[in-house]
Amino acid sequence: MGEASGDIIRDVGYVEVSETGYEDALLALAKAVANATANLVLKAKAVANNAEEQALQNKVISSATQCALATSQLVGCTKVWPQLLYGLNN
């Protein structure tokens, strides 16, 4: 998941971050990952629907679900991490 997220962030491109705007930039990148994951889940659903073997359908659905959950955690951490960092520095 980490490698995939890094690939997506590189595809989205570098975001210029100022001292006060890094939280917004980080959240924007996390949202871009979430949007890419949503597209992945839709495509995985199509693949699963076209798979003839039930085991393959289950594997595709399980993998897409795990990816979506990890992305949800990424977005959540992106929202919480700066608050924790500010709390530690203040």
Side-chain angles (χ1 to χ4, degrees):
M1 179 62 199
E3 290 178 20
S5 297
D7 291 343
I8 291 170
I9 290 171
R10 279 190 295 279
D11 288 344
V12 169
Y14 177 77
V15 176
E16 191 67 35
V17 179
S18 67
E19 292 265 334
T20 59
Y22 82 92
E23 289 178 57
D24 293 336
L26 188 60
L27 186 56
L29 290 171
K31 286 181 179 182
V33 172
N35 288 333
T37 300
N39 289 330
L40 171 80
V41 169
L42 290 175
K43 290 180 182 185
K45 182 179 177 182
V47 168
N49 286 336
N50 291 324
E52 294 181 15
E53 298 177 23
Q54 184 66 40
L56 181 58
Q57 289 177 347
N58 293 341
K59 180 67 174 171
V60 170
I61 290 169
S62 174
S63 296
T65 301
Q66 289 174 355
C67 183
L69 291 173
T71 301
S72 177
Q73 289 176 339
L74 169 71
V75 172
C77 289
T78 301
K79 291 179 179 179
V80 172
W81 180 78
Q83 295 171 6
L84 292 174
L85 184 63
Y86 281 137
L88 294 175
N89 288 332
N90 288 333

